[in-house]
């Protein structure tokens, strides 16, 4: 990992994970553009729920930042699925995950989840338009923190950028592996759950 004393870790992570991020984004955007029924949207939410639920469980013992509980996304996804009259997909497969055994790795993985809130509002608008329904019911996950999204991202960046330099590589690897394992799960989920 190229390292510069002047660049904050959040900037280094963006560069380090760029290729893995773009691969995942391309796959997910393609899936989102194909959503044209509430059932299709529920399946898409199921993809996110299964991955986020497993990852948040793994992060919990290690992500000791003051607002960690406010940052959990799986419950919002589950609430959206239920609000739309859907059910959780039955998961009989192991969901691939990045290795998270310490605070640095937990921050790196959380960087991916937190960063995803920034584009969520655009996604909510796009899918609600495709479905012809208002982005009121069933969009709490993609709406992120609502008006507080940028503020919550900046708070998270402060935690991230306070990480000691010696732990930067562990965080960067965890972030990259979060993108890679989510991409792997999206492929598995597609074949099993026919999204």
């Amino acid at each position: 990992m190229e390292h510069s004393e002047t660049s904050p870790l959040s900037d280094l992570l963006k560069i380090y994970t760029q290729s893995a991020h773009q691969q995942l984004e391309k796959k997910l955007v393609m899936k989102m553009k194909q959503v044209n029924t509430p059932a299709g949207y529920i399946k898409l939410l199921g993809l996110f729920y299964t991955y986020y639920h497993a990852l948040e469980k793994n992060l919990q013992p290690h992500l000791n930042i003051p607002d960690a509980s406010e940052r959990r996304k799986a419950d919002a996804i589950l609430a959206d699925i239920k609000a739309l009259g859907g059910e959780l997909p039955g998961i009989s497969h192991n969901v691939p995950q990045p290795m998270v055994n310490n605070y640095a790795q937990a921050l790196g993985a959380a960087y991916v989840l937190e960063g995803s809130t920034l584009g969520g509002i655009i996604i909510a608008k796009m899918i609600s338009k495709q479905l012809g329904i208002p982005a009121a019911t069933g969009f709490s996950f993609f709406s992120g923190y609502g008006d507080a999204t940028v503020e919550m991202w900046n708070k998270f960046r402060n935690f991230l950028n306070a990480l000691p330099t010696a732990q930067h590589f562990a965080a960067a690897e965890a972030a990259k592996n979060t993108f890679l394992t989510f991409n792997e799960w999206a492929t598995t989920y597609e074949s099993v759950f026919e999204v």
Side-chain angles (χ1 to χ4, degrees):
M1 182 168 120
E2 287 289 311
H3 196 77
S4 151
E5 288 304 314
T6 56
S7 297
L9 178 57
S10 55
D11 292 354
L12 295 170
L13 289 185
K14 188 174 185 176
I15 296 161
Y16 192 75
T17 62
Q18 188 173 10
S19 170
H21 184 175
Q22 286 171 342
Q23 283 177 328
L24 175 62
E25 191 171 60
K26 189 175 172 187
K27 179 174 283 178
L28 292 178
V29 166
M30 198 173 73
K31 287 183 183 311
M32 289 167 188
K33 285 183 175 171
Q34 291 168 350
V35 170
N36 55 12
T37 65
Y41 180 46
I42 289 165
K43 282 185 181 175
L44 177 74
L45 288 171
L47 163 66
F48 279 90
Y49 177 79
T50 48
Y51 187 82
Y52 276 54
H53 179 68
L55 184 56
E56 287 176 355
K57 229 163 99 177
N58 293 340
L59 293 180
Q60 197 166 356
H62 307 290
L63 191 65
N64 43 359
I65 57 176
D67 57 3
S69 63
E70 291 172 51
R71 294 181 180 278
R72 292 200 195 106
K73 317 279 185 291
D75 290 346
I77 304 170
L78 186 53
D80 287 344
I81 290 170
K82 287 180 176 172
L84 294 162
E87 290 178 24
L88 272 182
I91 299 300
S92 57
H93 298 265
N94 287 332
V95 179
Q97 295 283 291
M99 190 165 54
V100 177
N101 296 317
N102 57 49
Y103 179 63
Q105 289 174 330
L107 270 182
Y111 162 83
V112 177
L113 303 189
E114 289 303 313
S116 72
T117 64
L118 298 173
I121 292 168
I122 297 161
I123 295 163
K125 281 181 185 161
M126 179 180 89
I127 293 176
S128 75
K129 189 176 174 188
Q130 287 166 202
L131 297 181
I133 59 173
T137 303
F139 289 92
S140 61
F141 167 61
F142 283 119
S143 297
Y145 306 108
D147 293 342
T149 299
V150 172
E151 181 191 336
M152 288 293 279
W153 169 247
N154 288 333
K155 274 171 74 175
F156 180 78
R157 279 186 65 221
N158 290 338
F159 296 128
L160 193 63
N161 293 334
L163 193 69
T165 307
Q167 295 172 35
H168 283 190
F169 184 71
E173 278 292 292
K176 184 170 84 177
N177 288 326
T178 301
F179 282 119
L180 293 174
T181 54
F182 195 1
N183 197 347
E184 189 184 330
W185 177 239
T187 305
T188 303
Y189 186 90
E190 187 175 323
S191 60
V192 176
F193 300 102
E194 299 168 356
V195 170

